[in-house]
mmCIF file of all heavy atoms in Angstrom:
data_model
loop_
_atom_site.group_PDB
_atom_site.id
_atom_site.type_symbol
_atom_site.label_atom_id
_atom_site.label_comp_id
_atom_site.label_asym_id
_atom_site.label_seq_id
_atom_site.Cartn_x
_atom_site.Cartn_y
_atom_site.Cartn_z
ATOM 1 N N LEU A 50 102.873 36.223 146.943
ATOM 2 C CA LEU A 50 104.078 36.060 147.704
ATOM 3 C C LEU A 50 105.244 36.810 147.062
ATOM 4 O O LEU A 50 105.287 36.936 145.864
ATOM 5 C CB LEU A 50 104.410 34.624 148.065
ATOM 6 C CG LEU A 50 104.806 33.661 146.946
ATOM 7 C CD1 LEU A 50 106.292 33.817 146.530
ATOM 8 C CD2 LEU A 50 104.558 32.259 147.366
ATOM 9 N N VAL A 51 106.199 37.258 147.902
ATOM 10 C CA VAL A 51 107.385 37.887 147.403
ATOM 11 C C VAL A 51 108.616 37.157 147.960
ATOM 12 O O VAL A 51 108.661 36.703 149.105
ATOM 13 C CB VAL A 51 107.425 39.339 147.949
ATOM 14 C CG1 VAL A 51 108.728 40.039 147.461
ATOM 15 C CG2 VAL A 51 106.240 40.140 147.431
ATOM 16 N N ASN A 52 109.583 36.997 147.088
ATOM 17 C CA ASN A 52 110.825 36.393 147.468
ATOM 18 C C ASN A 52 111.988 37.193 146.876
ATOM 19 O O ASN A 52 111.883 37.643 145.742
ATOM 20 C CB ASN A 52 110.937 34.904 147.038
ATOM 21 C CG ASN A 52 112.150 34.237 147.527
ATOM 22 O OD1 ASN A 52 112.618 34.534 148.656
ATOM 23 N ND2 ASN A 52 112.675 33.294 146.791
ATOM 24 N N CYS A 53 112.974 37.343 147.690
ATOM 25 C CA CYS A 53 114.219 38.077 147.149
ATOM 26 C C CYS A 53 115.310 37.064 146.953
ATOM 27 O O CYS A 53 115.713 36.337 147.898
ATOM 28 C CB CYS A 53 114.610 39.184 148.188
ATOM 29 S SG CYS A 53 116.054 40.092 147.659
ATOM 30 N N HIS A 54 115.707 36.917 145.698
ATOM 31 C CA HIS A 54 116.824 36.029 145.345
ATOM 32 C C HIS A 54 118.094 36.876 145.307
ATOM 33 O O HIS A 54 118.177 37.761 144.477
ATOM 34 C CB HIS A 54 116.638 35.380 143.978
ATOM 35 C CG HIS A 54 115.396 34.609 143.907
ATOM 36 N ND1 HIS A 54 115.099 33.825 142.786
ATOM 37 C CD2 HIS A 54 114.304 34.392 144.721
ATOM 38 C CE1 HIS A 54 113.928 33.195 142.929
ATOM 39 N NE2 HIS A 54 113.416 33.564 144.101
ATOM 40 N N THR A 55 119.059 36.594 146.164
ATOM 41 C CA THR A 55 120.297 37.315 146.134
ATOM 42 C C THR A 55 121.434 36.420 145.767
ATOM 43 O O THR A 55 121.533 35.293 146.299
ATOM 44 C CB THR A 55 120.588 38.020 147.483
ATOM 45 O OG1 THR A 55 120.469 37.089 148.513
ATOM 46 C CG2 THR A 55 119.595 39.173 147.713
ATOM 47 N N ARG A 56 122.255 36.765 144.841
ATOM 48 C CA ARG A 56 123.408 35.978 144.440
ATOM 49 C C ARG A 56 124.605 36.915 144.269
ATOM 50 O O ARG A 56 124.473 37.975 143.738
ATOM 51 C CB ARG A 56 123.159 35.292 143.143
ATOM 52 C CG ARG A 56 121.991 34.293 143.161
ATOM 53 C CD ARG A 56 121.666 33.809 141.760
ATOM 54 N NE ARG A 56 120.313 33.263 141.699
ATOM 55 C CZ ARG A 56 119.236 33.817 141.438
ATOM 56 N NH1 ARG A 56 119.213 35.127 141.213
ATOM 57 N NH2 ARG A 56 118.063 33.248 141.396
ATOM 58 N N TRP A 57 125.760 36.428 144.738
ATOM 59 C CA TRP A 57 126.938 37.218 144.569
ATOM 60 C C TRP A 57 128.159 36.298 144.569
ATOM 61 O O TRP A 57 128.050 35.090 144.882
ATOM 62 C CB TRP A 57 127.056 38.317 145.672
ATOM 63 C CG TRP A 57 127.057 37.856 147.058
ATOM 64 C CD1 TRP A 57 128.183 37.562 147.835
ATOM 65 C CD2 TRP A 57 125.931 37.545 147.902
ATOM 66 N NE1 TRP A 57 127.796 37.142 149.090
ATOM 67 C CE2 TRP A 57 126.424 37.131 149.139
ATOM 68 C CE3 TRP A 57 124.553 37.627 147.666
ATOM 69 C CZ2 TRP A 57 125.582 36.812 150.175
ATOM 70 C CZ3 TRP A 57 123.741 37.277 148.746
ATOM 71 C CH2 TRP A 57 124.229 36.854 150.000
ATOM 72 N N SER A 58 129.344 36.855 144.244
ATOM 73 C CA SER A 58 130.487 36.004 144.012
ATOM 74 C C SER A 58 131.512 35.958 145.080
ATOM 75 O O SER A 58 132.272 34.982 145.209
ATOM 76 C CB SER A 58 131.194 36.507 142.698
ATOM 77 O OG SER A 58 130.251 36.416 141.625
ATOM 78 N N THR A 59 131.668 37.060 145.819
ATOM 79 C CA THR A 59 132.751 37.128 146.780
ATOM 80 C C THR A 59 132.217 37.397 148.233
ATOM 81 O O THR A 59 131.145 37.987 148.427
ATOM 82 C CB THR A 59 133.774 38.250 146.457
ATOM 83 O OG1 THR A 59 133.083 39.509 146.547
ATOM 84 C CG2 THR A 59 134.251 38.093 145.020
ATOM 85 N N ALA A 60 133.069 36.998 149.206
ATOM 86 C CA ALA A 60 132.697 37.231 150.586
ATOM 87 C C ALA A 60 132.590 38.705 150.958
ATOM 88 O O ALA A 60 131.831 39.076 151.815
ATOM 89 C CB ALA A 60 133.690 36.503 151.482
ATOM 90 N N GLU A 61 133.299 39.534 150.171
ATOM 91 C CA GLU A 61 133.252 40.977 150.391
ATOM 92 C C GLU A 61 131.909 41.530 150.154
ATOM 93 O O GLU A 61 131.552 42.587 150.604
ATOM 94 C CB GLU A 61 134.313 41.643 149.573
ATOM 95 C CG GLU A 61 135.736 41.387 149.970
ATOM 96 C CD GLU A 61 136.232 40.027 149.513
ATOM 97 O OE1 GLU A 61 135.823 39.506 148.513
ATOM 98 O OE2 GLU A 61 137.133 39.456 150.260
ATOM 99 N N GLU A 62 131.073 40.844 149.328
ATOM 100 C CA GLU A 62 129.760 41.317 149.003
ATOM 101 C C GLU A 62 128.642 40.817 149.993
ATOM 102 O O GLU A 62 127.466 41.189 149.809
ATOM 103 C CB GLU A 62 129.420 40.806 147.638
ATOM 104 C CG GLU A 62 130.306 41.353 146.525
ATOM 105 C CD GLU A 62 130.098 40.661 145.224
ATOM 106 O OE1 GLU A 62 130.605 39.516 145.040
ATOM 107 O OE2 GLU A 62 129.381 41.269 144.341
ATOM 108 N N ASP A 63 129.057 39.995 150.977
ATOM 109 C CA ASP A 63 128.080 39.395 151.874
ATOM 110 C C ASP A 63 127.194 40.454 152.561
ATOM 111 O O ASP A 63 125.960 40.426 152.517
ATOM 112 C CB ASP A 63 128.745 38.544 152.917
ATOM 113 C CG ASP A 63 129.345 37.269 152.400
ATOM 114 O OD1 ASP A 63 129.242 37.020 151.168
ATOM 115 O OD2 ASP A 63 130.012 36.583 153.233
#
Side-chain angles (χ1 to χ4, degrees):
L50 65 80
V51 177
N52 187 31
C53 182
H54 301 189
T55 52
R56 299 172 195 90
W57 59 94
S58 302
T59 66
E61 291 77 28
E62 298 169 281
D63 290 359

